[in-house]
Coordinates of all heavy atoms in Angstrom, one line a residue:
L186 N -52.1 -99.4 -59.8 CA -50.9 -100.0 -60.3 C -51.3 -101.2 -61.3 O -50.6 -101.3 -62.4 CB -50.1 -100.6 -59.2 CG -48.8 -101.3 -59.6 CD1 -47.8 -100.3 -60.2 CD2 -48.2 -101.9 -58.4
L187 N -52.3 -102.0 -61.0 CA -52.6 -103.1 -61.9 C -53.1 -102.6 -63.3 O -53.0 -103.2 -64.3 CB -53.7 -104.0 -61.3 CG -53.2 -104.8 -60.1 CD1 -54.4 -105.6 -59.5 CD2 -52.1 -105.7 -60.4
D188 N -53.8 -101.4 -63.2 CA -54.3 -100.8 -64.5 C -53.2 -100.4 -65.4 O -53.4 -100.4 -66.6 CB -55.2 -99.6 -64.2 CG -56.4 -100.0 -63.4 OD1 -56.9 -101.1 -63.5 OD2 -56.8 -99.1 -62.6
A189 N -52.0 -100.2 -64.9 CA -50.9 -99.8 -65.8 C -50.1 -100.9 -66.4 O -49.3 -100.7 -67.3 CB -49.9 -98.9 -64.9
L190 N -50.4 -102.2 -66.0 CA -49.7 -103.3 -66.6 C -50.2 -103.6 -68.0 O -51.4 -103.6 -68.3 CB -49.9 -104.5 -65.7 CG -49.5 -104.5 -64.3 CD1 -49.8 -105.7 -63.5 CD2 -48.0 -104.2 -64.2
D191 N -49.3 -104.0 -68.9 CA -49.7 -104.5 -70.2 C -50.2 -105.9 -70.1 O -50.0 -106.5 -69.0 CB -48.6 -104.3 -71.2 CG -47.4 -105.1 -71.0 OD1 -47.5 -106.2 -70.4 OD2 -46.3 -104.6 -71.4
A192 N -50.7 -106.5 -71.1 CA -51.3 -107.9 -71.1 C -50.2 -108.9 -70.7 O -50.5 -109.8 -69.9 CB -51.8 -108.2 -72.5
E193 N -49.0 -108.8 -71.1 CA -48.0 -109.7 -70.8 C -47.6 -109.6 -69.3 O -47.5 -110.6 -68.6 CB -46.7 -109.5 -71.6 CG -45.6 -110.5 -71.3 CD -44.4 -110.3 -72.2 OE1 -44.5 -109.6 -73.3 OE2 -43.3 -110.8 -71.8
Q194 N -47.6 -108.4 -68.8 CA -47.3 -108.2 -67.3 C -48.5 -108.8 -66.5 O -48.3 -109.3 -65.4 CB -47.0 -106.8 -67.1 CG -45.7 -106.2 -67.6 CD -45.6 -104.7 -67.6 OE1 -46.6 -104.0 -67.8 NE2 -44.4 -104.2 -67.3
Q195 N -49.7 -108.6 -67.0 CA -50.8 -109.1 -66.3 C -50.8 -110.6 -66.2 O -51.0 -111.2 -65.1 CB -52.1 -108.6 -67.0 CG -52.4 -107.2 -66.8 CD -53.7 -106.8 -67.6 OE1 -54.3 -107.6 -68.3 NE2 -54.0 -105.5 -67.5
D196 N -50.4 -111.2 -67.3 CA -50.3 -112.7 -67.3 C -49.3 -113.2 -66.4 O -49.4 -114.2 -65.7 CB -50.0 -113.2 -68.8 CG -51.2 -113.0 -69.7 OD1 -52.3 -112.8 -69.2 OD2 -51.0 -113.1 -70.9
T197 N -48.1 -112.5 -66.3 CA -47.1 -112.8 -65.4 C -47.5 -112.7 -64.0 O -47.3 -113.6 -63.1 CB -45.8 -111.9 -65.6 OG1 -45.4 -112.1 -67.0 CG2 -44.7 -112.3 -64.7
L198 N -48.3 -111.7 -63.6 CA -48.8 -111.5 -62.3 C -49.7 -112.6 -61.9 O -49.6 -113.2 -60.9 CB -49.5 -110.1 -62.2 CG -50.2 -109.9 -60.8 CD1 -49.1 -109.8 -59.7 CD2 -51.0 -108.6 -60.9
V199 N -50.6 -112.9 -62.8 CA -51.6 -114.0 -62.6 C -50.9 -115.3 -62.3 O -51.2 -116.1 -61.5 CB -52.6 -114.1 -63.7 CG1 -53.5 -115.3 -63.6 CG2 -53.5 -112.8 -63.8
E200 N -49.8 -115.6 -63.1 CA -49.1 -116.8 -62.9 C -48.4 -116.9 -61.6 O -48.2 -118.0 -61.0 CB -48.1 -117.0 -64.0 CG -48.7 -117.5 -65.3 CD -49.5 -118.8 -65.1 OE1 -49.0 -119.8 -64.6 OE2 -50.6 -118.8 -65.6
T201 N -48.0 -115.7 -61.0 CA -47.4 -115.7 -59.7 C -48.4 -116.2 -58.6 O -48.1 -116.6 -57.5 CB -46.8 -114.4 -59.3 OG1 -47.8 -113.4 -59.2 CG2 -45.7 -114.0 -60.2
F202 N -49.7 -116.0 -58.9 CA -50.8 -116.4 -58.0 C -51.0 -117.9 -58.0 O -51.5 -118.5 -57.1 CB -52.1 -115.7 -58.3 CG -52.1 -114.2 -58.0 CD1 -52.8 -113.3 -58.8 CD2 -51.3 -113.6 -57.0 CE1 -52.8 -112.0 -58.6 CE2 -51.3 -112.3 -56.8 CZ -52.1 -111.4 -57.6
R203 N -50.7 -118.5 -59.2 CA -51.0 -119.9 -59.4 C -50.3 -120.8 -58.3 O -49.2 -120.6 -58.0 CB -50.5 -120.4 -60.7 CG -51.0 -121.8 -61.1 CD -50.8 -122.1 -62.5 NE -51.4 -121.2 -63.5 CZ -52.7 -121.2 -63.8 NH1 -53.5 -122.0 -63.2 NH2 -53.1 -120.3 -64.7
G204 N -51.2 -121.6 -57.6 CA -50.7 -122.4 -56.5 C -50.6 -121.7 -55.2 O -50.3 -122.3 -54.2
Q205 N -50.9 -120.4 -55.2 CA -50.8 -119.6 -54.0 C -52.2 -119.1 -53.5 O -52.2 -118.4 -52.5 CB -49.9 -118.4 -54.2 CG -48.5 -118.8 -54.6 CD -47.8 -119.6 -53.6 OE1 -47.8 -119.3 -52.4 NE2 -47.1 -120.6 -54.0
V206 N -53.2 -119.3 -54.3 CA -54.5 -118.7 -54.0 C -55.0 -119.1 -52.6 O -55.4 -118.2 -51.8 CB -55.5 -119.1 -55.1 CG1 -56.9 -118.7 -54.6 CG2 -55.2 -118.5 -56.4
G207 N -54.9 -120.3 -52.2 CA -55.4 -120.7 -50.9 C -54.7 -120.0 -49.8 O -55.3 -119.6 -48.8
R208 N -53.4 -119.9 -49.9 CA -52.6 -119.3 -48.9 C -52.9 -117.8 -48.8 O -53.1 -117.2 -47.8 CB -51.1 -119.4 -49.2 CG -50.2 -118.8 -48.1 CD -48.7 -119.0 -48.5 NE -48.3 -118.3 -49.7 CZ -48.1 -117.0 -49.9 NH1 -48.3 -116.2 -48.8 NH2 -47.8 -116.5 -51.0
L209 N -53.0 -117.2 -50.0 CA -53.3 -115.7 -50.0 C -54.7 -115.4 -49.5 O -54.8 -114.4 -48.7 CB -53.2 -115.2 -51.5 CG -51.8 -115.1 -52.0 CD1 -51.8 -114.9 -53.5 CD2 -51.0 -114.0 -51.3
I210 N -55.7 -116.1 -49.8 CA -57.0 -115.7 -49.4 C -57.3 -116.0 -47.9 O -58.2 -115.5 -47.4 CB -58.1 -116.4 -50.3 CG1 -58.2 -117.9 -50.1 CG2 -58.0 -116.0 -51.7 CD1 -59.4 -118.5 -50.8
M211 N -56.5 -116.8 -47.3 CA -56.6 -117.1 -45.9 C -55.9 -116.0 -45.0 O -56.1 -115.9 -43.8 CB -56.0 -118.4 -45.5 CG -56.8 -119.6 -46.1 SD -58.5 -119.7 -45.4 CE -58.1 -120.5 -43.9
D212 N -55.1 -115.2 -45.7 CA -54.3 -114.2 -45.0 C -55.0 -112.9 -45.0 O -55.7 -112.5 -45.9 CB -53.0 -114.0 -45.8 CG -52.1 -113.0 -45.1 OD1 -51.4 -113.3 -44.1 OD2 -52.0 -111.8 -45.6
K213 N -54.9 -112.1 -43.8 CA -55.7 -110.9 -43.7 C -55.3 -109.8 -44.7 O -56.0 -108.9 -44.9 CB -55.6 -110.4 -42.3 CG -54.2 -109.9 -41.8 CD -54.3 -109.5 -40.4 CE -52.9 -109.1 -39.9 NZ -52.9 -108.6 -38.5
H214 N -54.1 -109.9 -45.2 CA -53.6 -108.9 -46.2 C -53.7 -109.6 -47.6 O -54.1 -108.9 -48.6 CB -52.2 -108.5 -46.0 CG -52.0 -107.8 -44.6 ND1 -52.6 -106.6 -44.3 CD2 -51.4 -108.2 -43.5 CE1 -52.3 -106.3 -43.0 NE2 -51.6 -107.3 -42.5
G215 N -53.4 -110.8 -47.7 CA -53.4 -111.5 -49.0 C -54.8 -111.6 -49.7 O -54.9 -111.5 -50.9
F216 N -55.8 -111.7 -48.8 CA -57.2 -111.7 -49.4 C -57.5 -110.4 -50.1 O -58.2 -110.3 -51.1 CB -58.2 -112.1 -48.4 CG -58.9 -111.0 -47.6 CD1 -60.2 -110.7 -48.0 CD2 -58.3 -110.4 -46.6 CE1 -60.9 -109.7 -47.3 CE2 -59.0 -109.4 -45.9 CZ -60.3 -109.0 -46.2
R217 N -57.0 -109.3 -49.6 CA -57.2 -108.0 -50.2 C -56.5 -107.9 -51.5 O -57.0 -107.3 -52.5 CB -56.7 -106.8 -49.3 CG -57.5 -106.7 -48.0 CD -58.6 -105.7 -48.2 NE -59.2 -105.5 -46.9 CZ -60.5 -105.4 -46.7 NH1 -61.3 -105.5 -47.8 NH2 -61.0 -105.2 -45.5
V218 N -55.3 -108.5 -51.6 CA -54.5 -108.5 -52.8 C -55.4 -109.3 -53.9 O -55.5 -108.8 -55.0 CB -53.2 -109.2 -52.6 CG1 -52.5 -109.5 -54.0 CG2 -52.3 -108.3 -51.7
M219 N -55.9 -110.4 -53.5 CA -56.7 -111.2 -54.4 C -58.0 -110.5 -54.9 O -58.4 -110.5 -56.0 CB -57.0 -112.6 -53.9 CG -55.8 -113.5 -53.7 SD -54.8 -113.7 -55.2 CE -56.0 -114.5 -56.3
Q220 N -58.6 -109.8 -53.9 CA -59.9 -109.1 -54.3 C -59.5 -108.0 -55.3 O -60.3 -107.8 -56.2 CB -60.5 -108.5 -53.0 CG -61.2 -109.5 -52.2 CD -61.8 -108.8 -50.9 OE1 -61.3 -107.9 -50.4 NE2 -63.0 -109.3 -50.6
T221 N -58.5 -107.3 -55.0 CA -58.1 -106.2 -55.9 C -57.7 -106.7 -57.3 O -58.2 -106.2 -58.3 CB -56.9 -105.4 -55.3 OG1 -57.3 -104.8 -54.1 CG2 -56.5 -104.2 -56.3
A222 N -57.0 -107.8 -57.3 CA -56.6 -108.4 -58.6 C -57.8 -108.9 -59.4 O -57.9 -108.7 -60.6 CB -55.6 -109.5 -58.4
M223 N -58.8 -109.5 -58.6 CA -60.0 -109.9 -59.3 C -60.8 -108.8 -59.9 O -61.4 -108.9 -61.0 CB -60.9 -110.8 -58.4 CG -60.2 -112.1 -58.1 SD -61.3 -113.4 -57.3 CE -62.4 -112.5 -56.3
K224 N -60.9 -107.7 -59.2 CA -61.6 -106.5 -59.7 C -60.9 -105.8 -60.8 O -61.6 -105.3 -61.7 CB -61.8 -105.5 -58.5 CG -62.8 -106.0 -57.5 CD -62.9 -105.1 -56.3 CE -63.8 -105.6 -55.2 NZ -63.8 -104.8 -54.0
R225 N -59.6 -105.8 -60.8 CA -58.9 -105.1 -61.9 C -58.6 -106.0 -63.1 O -58.4 -105.5 -64.2 CB -57.5 -104.6 -61.3 CG -57.6 -103.6 -60.2 CD -58.0 -102.2 -60.8 NE -57.8 -101.2 -59.9 CZ -58.8 -100.6 -59.1 NH1 -60.0 -101.1 -59.2 NH2 -58.5 -99.7 -58.3
L226 N -58.6 -107.3 -62.9 CA -58.3 -108.2 -64.0 C -59.4 -109.3 -64.0 O -59.2 -110.5 -63.9 CB -56.9 -108.9 -63.7 CG -55.7 -108.0 -63.6 CD1 -54.5 -108.8 -63.2 CD2 -55.5 -107.2 -64.8
P227 N -60.6 -108.8 -64.2 CA -61.8 -109.8 -64.1 C -61.8 -110.9 -65.1 O -62.5 -111.9 -64.9 CB -63.0 -108.8 -64.2 CG -62.5 -107.7 -65.0 CD -61.1 -107.5 -64.6
D228 N -61.1 -110.7 -66.2 CA -61.1 -111.8 -67.2 C -60.0 -112.8 -67.0 O -59.9 -113.8 -67.7 CB -60.9 -111.2 -68.6 CG -59.6 -110.4 -68.8 OD1 -59.2 -109.8 -67.8 OD2 -59.1 -110.4 -69.9
K229 N -59.2 -112.7 -65.9 CA -58.1 -113.6 -65.7 C -58.1 -114.2 -64.3 O -58.0 -115.4 -64.1 CB -56.8 -112.9 -65.9 CG -56.6 -112.4 -67.3 CD -55.3 -111.6 -67.5 CE -55.3 -111.0 -68.9 NZ -54.0 -110.7 -69.4
V230 N -58.2 -113.4 -63.3 CA -58.1 -113.9 -61.9 C -59.2 -114.7 -61.4 O -59.0 -115.7 -60.8 CB -57.7 -112.7 -61.0 CG1 -57.5 -113.2 -59.5 CG2 -56.4 -112.0 -61.4
P231 N -60.5 -114.3 -61.6 CA -61.6 -115.2 -61.1 C -61.5 -116.6 -61.5 O -61.8 -117.5 -60.8 CB -62.8 -114.5 -61.5 CG -62.4 -113.0 -61.7 CD -61.0 -113.1 -62.2
M232 N -61.1 -116.8 -62.8 CA -61.0 -118.2 -63.3 C -59.9 -119.0 -62.5 O -60.1 -120.1 -62.2 CB -60.7 -118.2 -64.8 CG -61.8 -117.6 -65.6 SD -63.3 -118.6 -65.6 CE -62.8 -119.9 -66.7
L233 N -58.8 -118.3 -62.3 CA -57.7 -119.0 -61.5 C -58.2 -119.3 -60.1 O -58.0 -120.4 -59.6 CB -56.5 -118.1 -61.5 CG -55.3 -118.6 -60.6 CD1 -54.8 -119.9 -61.2 CD2 -54.3 -117.5 -60.5
V234 N -58.8 -118.4 -59.5 CA -59.3 -118.6 -58.1 C -60.3 -119.8 -58.1 O -60.2 -120.7 -57.3 CB -60.0 -117.3 -57.5 CG1 -60.7 -117.6 -56.2 CG2 -58.9 -116.2 -57.3
A235 N -61.2 -119.8 -59.1 CA -62.2 -120.9 -59.2 C -61.6 -122.2 -59.4 O -61.9 -123.2 -58.7 CB -63.2 -120.6 -60.3
E236 N -60.6 -122.3 -60.3 CA -59.9 -123.5 -60.5 C -59.2 -124.1 -59.2 O -59.3 -125.3 -59.0 CB -58.8 -123.3 -61.6 CG -59.4 -123.1 -63.0 CD -58.3 -122.6 -63.9 OE1 -57.1 -122.6 -63.6 OE2 -58.6 -122.3 -65.1
E237 N -58.6 -123.2 -58.5 CA -57.9 -123.6 -57.3 C -58.9 -123.9 -56.1 O -58.6 -124.8 -55.3 CB -56.9 -122.6 -56.9 CG -55.8 -122.6 -57.9 CD -54.5 -122.0 -57.4 OE1 -54.3 -121.9 -56.2 OE2 -53.7 -121.6 -58.3
L238 N -60.0 -123.2 -56.0 CA -60.9 -123.4 -54.9 C -61.9 -124.6 -55.1 O -62.3 -125.2 -54.1 CB -61.7 -122.2 -54.6 CG -60.9 -121.0 -54.0 CD1 -61.9 -119.9 -53.7 CD2 -60.1 -121.4 -52.9
L239 N -62.3 -124.8 -56.3 CA -63.3 -125.8 -56.6 C -62.9 -127.2 -56.2 O -63.7 -128.1 -55.8 CB -63.8 -125.8 -58.0 CG -64.7 -124.6 -58.4 CD1 -65.1 -124.7 -59.8 CD2 -65.9 -124.6 -57.5
S240 N -61.6 -127.5 -56.3 CA -61.1 -128.8 -56.0 C -61.3 -129.2 -54.5 O -61.6 -130.3 -54.2 CB -59.7 -129.0 -56.4 OG -58.9 -128.1 -55.7
D241 N -61.2 -128.2 -53.6 CA -61.4 -128.4 -52.2 C -61.7 -127.1 -51.5 O -60.9 -126.4 -51.0 CB -60.1 -129.0 -51.6 CG -60.3 -129.5 -50.2 OD1 -61.5 -129.6 -49.8 OD2 -59.3 -129.8 -49.5
I242 N -63.0 -126.8 -51.5 CA -63.5 -125.5 -50.9 C -63.5 -125.5 -49.4 O -63.4 -124.5 -48.8 CB -64.8 -125.1 -51.5 CG1 -65.2 -123.7 -51.1 CG2 -65.9 -126.1 -51.1 CD1 -64.6 -122.6 -52.0
W243 N -63.7 -126.7 -48.8 CA -64.0 -126.7 -47.4 C -62.9 -126.1 -46.4 O -63.3 -125.4 -45.5 CB -64.2 -128.2 -46.9 CG -65.5 -128.6 -47.4 CD1 -65.8 -129.6 -48.4 CD2 -66.8 -128.1 -47.1 NE1 -67.1 -129.7 -48.6 CE2 -67.8 -128.8 -47.9 CE3 -67.2 -127.1 -46.2 CZ2 -69.1 -128.5 -47.8 CZ3 -68.6 -126.8 -46.1 CH2 -69.5 -127.5 -46.9
P244 N -61.6 -126.2 -46.7 CA -60.7 -125.5 -45.8 C -60.9 -124.0 -45.7 O -60.5 -123.3 -44.8 CB -59.3 -125.8 -46.4 CG -59.5 -127.0 -47.2 CD -60.9 -126.9 -47.7
F245 N -61.6 -123.4 -46.7 CA -61.7 -122.0 -46.8 C -63.0 -121.4 -46.3 O -63.2 -120.2 -46.1 CB -61.5 -121.5 -48.3 CG -60.2 -122.1 -48.8 CD1 -60.2 -123.1 -49.8 CD2 -59.0 -121.6 -48.4 CE1 -59.0 -123.6 -50.3 CE2 -57.8 -122.1 -48.9 CZ -57.8 -123.1 -49.8
I246 N -64.0 -122.3 -46.1 CA -65.3 -121.9 -45.8 C -65.4 -121.2 -44.4 O -66.2 -120.2 -44.3 CB -66.3 -123.1 -45.8 CG1 -66.4 -123.7 -47.2 CG2 -67.6 -122.8 -45.2 CD1 -67.0 -122.7 -48.2
D247 N -64.6 -121.6 -43.5 CA -64.7 -121.0 -42.1 C -63.9 -119.7 -42.0 O -63.8 -119.1 -40.9 CB -64.3 -122.0 -41.1 CG -65.3 -123.1 -40.9 OD1 -66.5 -122.8 -41.0 OD2 -64.9 -124.2 -40.6
S248 N -63.3 -119.2 -43.1 CA -62.6 -118.0 -43.0 C -63.4 -116.8 -43.7 O -63.8 -116.9 -44.8 CB -61.2 -118.1 -43.8 OG -60.7 -116.9 -44.1
P249 N -63.6 -115.8 -42.9 CA -64.3 -114.7 -43.5 C -63.5 -114.0 -44.7 O -64.1 -113.6 -45.6 CB -64.5 -113.7 -42.4 CG -63.5 -114.1 -41.3 CD -63.2 -115.5 -41.5
H250 N -62.2 -114.1 -44.6 CA -61.4 -113.5 -45.7 C -61.6 -114.4 -47.0 O -61.9 -113.9 -48.0 CB -59.9 -113.5 -45.3 CG -59.6 -112.8 -44.1 ND1 -60.1 -111.5 -43.8 CD2 -58.9 -113.1 -43.0 CE1 -59.6 -111.1 -42.7 NE2 -58.9 -112.0 -42.1
A251 N -61.4 -115.7 -46.8 CA -61.5 -116.6 -48.0 C -62.9 -116.6 -48.5 O -63.1 -116.6 -49.7 CB -61.1 -118.0 -47.6
S252 N -63.9 -116.6 -47.6 CA -65.3 -116.6 -48.1 C -65.6 -115.4 -48.9 O -66.3 -115.4 -49.9 CB -66.2 -116.7 -46.9 OG -66.1 -117.9 -46.3
S253 N -65.1 -114.2 -48.5 CA -65.4 -113.0 -49.3 C -64.7 -113.1 -50.7 O -65.3 -112.6 -51.7 CB -64.9 -111.7 -48.6 OG -63.5 -111.7 -48.5
V254 N -63.6 -113.7 -50.8 CA -62.9 -113.9 -52.1 C -63.7 -114.8 -53.0 O -64.0 -114.6 -54.1 CB -61.5 -114.3 -52.0 CG1 -60.9 -114.7 -53.3 CG2 -60.6 -113.2 -51.3
A255 N -64.2 -115.9 -52.3 CA -65.0 -116.9 -53.1 C -66.3 -116.3 -53.6 O -66.7 -116.5 -54.7 CB -65.3 -118.1 -52.2
Q256 N -66.9 -115.5 -52.8 CA -68.2 -114.8 -53.2 C -67.9 -113.9 -54.4 O -68.7 -113.9 -55.3 CB -68.8 -114.1 -52.0 CG -69.4 -115.0 -51.0 CD -69.8 -114.2 -49.7 OE1 -69.8 -113.0 -49.7 NE2 -70.3 -115.0 -48.8
L257 N -66.9 -113.1 -54.3 CA -66.5 -112.2 -55.4 C -66.2 -113.0 -56.7 O -66.6 -112.6 -57.8 CB -65.3 -111.3 -55.0 CG -64.9 -110.3 -56.0 CD1 -66.0 -109.3 -56.4 CD2 -63.7 -109.5 -55.5
C258 N -65.5 -114.1 -56.5 CA -65.2 -115.0 -57.6 C -66.5 -115.4 -58.3 O -66.6 -115.3 -59.5 CB -64.4 -116.2 -57.1 SG -63.9 -117.3 -58.4
V259 N -67.4 -115.9 -57.6 CA -68.7 -116.4 -58.2 C -69.4 -115.2 -58.9 O -69.9 -115.4 -60.0 CB -69.6 -117.0 -57.1 CG1 -71.0 -117.2 -57.6 CG2 -69.0 -118.3 -56.6
E260 N -69.4 -114.1 -58.3 CA -70.0 -112.9 -59.0 C -69.4 -112.6 -60.3 O -70.0 -112.1 -61.2 CB -69.9 -111.7 -58.1 CG -70.8 -111.8 -56.8 CD -70.5 -110.7 -55.8 OE1 -69.8 -109.7 -56.2 OE2 -71.0 -110.8 -54.7
Q261 N -68.1 -112.9 -60.4 CA -67.3 -112.4 -61.6 C -67.1 -113.5 -62.7 O -66.7 -113.3 -63.8 CB -66.0 -111.9 -61.2 CG -66.1 -110.6 -60.5 CD -64.7 -109.9 -60.3 OE1 -63.7 -110.6 -60.1 NE2 -64.7 -108.6 -60.3
L262 N -67.4 -114.8 -62.3 CA -67.2 -115.9 -63.3 C -68.2 -115.7 -64.5 O -69.3 -115.3 -64.3 CB -67.5 -117.2 -62.6 CG -66.4 -117.8 -61.7 CD1 -66.9 -119.0 -61.0 CD2 -65.2 -118.0 -62.4
P263 N -67.7 -116.0 -65.6 CA -68.6 -116.0 -66.8 C -69.7 -117.0 -66.6 O -69.5 -118.1 -66.0 CB -67.6 -116.5 -68.0 CG -66.3 -116.4 -67.5 CD -66.3 -116.4 -66.0
A264 N -70.8 -116.7 -67.2 CA -72.0 -117.5 -67.0 C -71.8 -119.0 -67.4 O -72.3 -119.9 -66.7 CB -73.2 -117.0 -67.8
D265 N -71.1 -119.3 -68.5 CA -70.9 -120.6 -68.9 C -70.0 -121.4 -67.9 O -70.1 -122.6 -67.8 CB -70.3 -120.7 -70.3 CG -69.0 -120.0 -70.4 OD1 -68.7 -119.0 -69.7 OD2 -68.2 -120.3 -71.4
Y266 N -69.2 -120.7 -67.1 CA -68.4 -121.4 -66.1 C -69.1 -121.7 -64.8 O -68.8 -122.6 -64.1 CB -67.1 -120.6 -65.8 CG -66.0 -121.4 -65.2 CD1 -65.2 -122.2 -65.9 CD2 -65.8 -121.3 -63.8 CE1 -64.2 -122.9 -65.3 CE2 -64.8 -122.1 -63.2 CZ -64.0 -122.9 -63.9 OH -63.0 -123.6 -63.3
L267 N -70.2 -120.9 -64.6 CA -70.9 -121.1 -63.4 C -71.6 -122.5 -63.3 O -71.7 -123.1 -62.2 CB -72.0 -120.0 -63.2 CG -71.5 -118.6 -62.8 CD1 -72.7 -117.6 -62.8 CD2 -70.9 -118.7 -61.5
S268 N -72.0 -123.0 -64.4 CA -72.6 -124.4 -64.4 C -71.5 -125.4 -64.0 O -71.9 -126.4 -63.2 CB -73.2 -124.7 -65.7 OG -72.2 -124.7 -66.7
I269 N -70.3 -125.2 -64.4 CA -69.2 -126.1 -64.0 C -69.0 -126.0 -62.5 O -68.8 -127.0 -61.8 CB -67.9 -125.8 -64.8 CG1 -68.2 -126.1 -66.3 CG2 -66.8 -126.6 -64.3 CD1 -67.1 -125.6 -67.2
A270 N -68.9 -124.8 -62.0 CA -68.7 -124.5 -60.6 C -69.9 -125.1 -59.8 O -69.7 -125.7 -58.7 CB -68.6 -123.0 -60.3
A271 N -71.1 -124.9 -60.2 CA -72.3 -125.4 -59.5 C -72.2 -127.0 -59.5 O -72.5 -127.6 -58.4 CB -73.6 -125.0 -60.2
A272 N -71.8 -127.6 -60.5 CA -71.7 -129.1 -60.6 C -70.7 -129.6 -59.6 O -70.9 -130.6 -58.9 CB -71.5 -129.5 -62.0
A273 N -69.6 -128.8 -59.5 CA -68.5 -129.2 -58.6 C -68.9 -129.1 -57.1 O -68.4 -129.8 -56.3 CB -67.2 -128.4 -58.9
L274 N -69.8 -128.2 -56.9 CA -70.2 -127.9 -55.5 C -71.6 -128.6 -55.2 O -72.1 -128.4 -54.1 CB -70.3 -126.4 -55.2 CG -68.9 -125.7 -55.4 CD1 -69.2 -124.2 -55.3 CD2 -67.9 -126.2 -54.3
D275 N -72.2 -129.3 -56.1 CA -73.5 -129.8 -56.0 C -73.8 -130.6 -54.7 O -74.7 -130.3 -54.0 CB -73.9 -130.6 -57.2 CG -75.3 -131.0 -57.2 OD1 -76.2 -130.2 -56.9 OD2 -75.6 -132.2 -57.4
D276 N -72.9 -131.5 -54.3 CA -73.1 -132.3 -53.1 C -72.8 -131.5 -51.8 O -73.1 -132.0 -50.8 CB -72.2 -133.5 -53.2 CG -70.7 -133.2 -53.2 OD1 -70.3 -132.1 -53.8 OD2 -69.9 -134.0 -52.7
K277 N -72.3 -130.3 -52.0 CA -72.1 -129.4 -50.8 C -73.0 -128.2 -50.7 O -72.9 -127.4 -49.8 CB -70.6 -128.9 -50.9 CG -69.6 -130.0 -50.9 CD -68.2 -129.4 -51.3 CE -67.2 -130.4 -51.5 NZ -67.2 -131.2 -52.7
A278 N -73.9 -128.1 -51.7 CA -74.8 -126.9 -51.8 C -75.6 -126.6 -50.5 O -75.6 -125.5 -50.1 CB -75.7 -127.1 -53.0
E279 N -76.2 -127.6 -49.9 CA -77.0 -127.3 -48.7 C -76.1 -126.8 -47.6 O -76.5 -125.8 -46.9 CB -77.7 -128.6 -48.3 CG -78.6 -128.3 -47.1 CD -79.4 -129.5 -46.7 OE1 -79.5 -130.5 -47.5 OE2 -80.0 -129.5 -45.6
A280 N -75.0 -127.4 -47.3 CA -74.1 -126.9 -46.3 C -73.5 -125.5 -46.6 O -73.4 -124.7 -45.7 CB -72.9 -127.9 -46.1
L281 N -73.2 -125.3 -47.8 CA -72.7 -124.0 -48.2 C -73.8 -122.9 -48.0 O -73.5 -121.8 -47.5 CB -72.2 -124.0 -49.6 CG -70.9 -124.7 -49.9 CD1 -70.6 -124.8 -51.4 CD2 -69.7 -124.0 -49.2
A282 N -75.0 -123.2 -48.4 CA -76.1 -122.2 -48.3 C -76.4 -121.9 -46.8 O -76.8 -120.8 -46.6 CB -77.3 -122.8 -49.0
C283 N -76.2 -122.8 -45.9 CA -76.5 -122.6 -44.5 C -75.3 -122.0 -43.7 O -75.5 -121.7 -42.6 CB -76.9 -123.9 -43.9 SG -78.5 -124.5 -44.6
H284 N -74.2 -121.9 -44.4 CA -73.0 -121.5 -43.6 C -73.0 -120.0 -43.3 O -73.6 -119.2 -44.0 CB -71.7 -121.8 -44.5 CG -70.5 -121.8 -43.6 ND1 -69.8 -120.6 -43.3 CD2 -69.8 -122.8 -43.0 CE1 -68.8 -120.9 -42.5 NE2 -68.8 -122.3 -42.4
Q285 N -72.4 -119.6 -42.2 CA -72.4 -118.2 -41.7 C -71.8 -117.3 -42.6 O -72.1 -116.1 -42.6 CB -71.8 -118.1 -40.3 CG -70.3 -118.4 -40.2 CD -69.8 -118.3 -38.8 OE1 -70.3 -117.7 -38.0 NE2 -68.6 -119.0 -38.6
Y286 N -70.8 -117.6 -43.4 CA -70.1 -116.7 -44.3 C -70.6 -116.9 -45.7 O -70.4 -116.2 -46.5 CB -68.6 -116.9 -44.2 CG -68.0 -116.6 -42.9 CD1 -67.2 -117.5 -42.2 CD2 -68.1 -115.3 -42.3 CE1 -66.7 -117.3 -41.0 CE2 -67.6 -115.1 -41.1 CZ -66.9 -116.0 -40.4 OH -66.3 -115.8 -39.2

């Protein structure tokens, strides 16, 4: 279904996610929606997810659903954005690296 959307429809869909990423990725069905959207719209959704998660990643770390979305997000972020993400998480790097998810 996402493949059939034109650019304007894709942008509208992405905007409906704005401000909802945290809620969606914590939900057992919502995280699948976000994963699918990130895979089908890799130039739009991972950046939105990163923007919303980087400000406060800790509430999502203990969720296997949210963690899987965060991992996919990191895999899909453009290389130049990864340094920004790494800097934002720098003081948490050791704890994140040792975490079960």
Side-chain angles (χ1 to χ4, degrees):
L186 179 65
L187 292 176
D188 297 330
L190 300 177
D191 64 30
E193 185 177 340
Q194 291 168 323
Q195 290 175 1
D196 291 342
T197 300
L198 176 66
V199 170
E200 283 305 308
T201 64
F202 294 146
R203 191 168 302 283
Q205 303 297 318
V206 171
R208 182 182 63 78
L209 287 167
I210 67 173
M211 294 292 283
D212 181 79
K213 65 181 179 180
H214 302 293
F216 93 102
R217 295 267 187 220
V218 170
M219 292 305 299
Q220 284 180 323
T221 301
M223 288 194 328
K224 290 175 183 176
R225 298 284 195 261
L226 306 172
D228 59 330
K229 299 176 186 202
V230 179
M232 295 294 285
L233 173 66
V234 171
E236 289 169 9
E237 293 199 20
L238 292 186
L239 285 179
S240 62
D241 190 15
I242 189 80
W243 288 113
F245 308 108
I246 293 300
D247 289 325
S248 165
H250 303 311
S252 293
S253 67
V254 172
Q256 289 172 3
L257 181 60
C258 179
V259 168
E260 291 170 12
Q261 292 188 328
L262 284 174
D265 57 336
Y266 198 81
L267 285 175
S268 61
I269 296 168
L274 298 173
D275 187 44
D276 61 330
K277 303 168 184 77
E279 185 176 343
L281 287 170
C283 297
H284 198 276
Q285 66 179 339
Y286 298 121

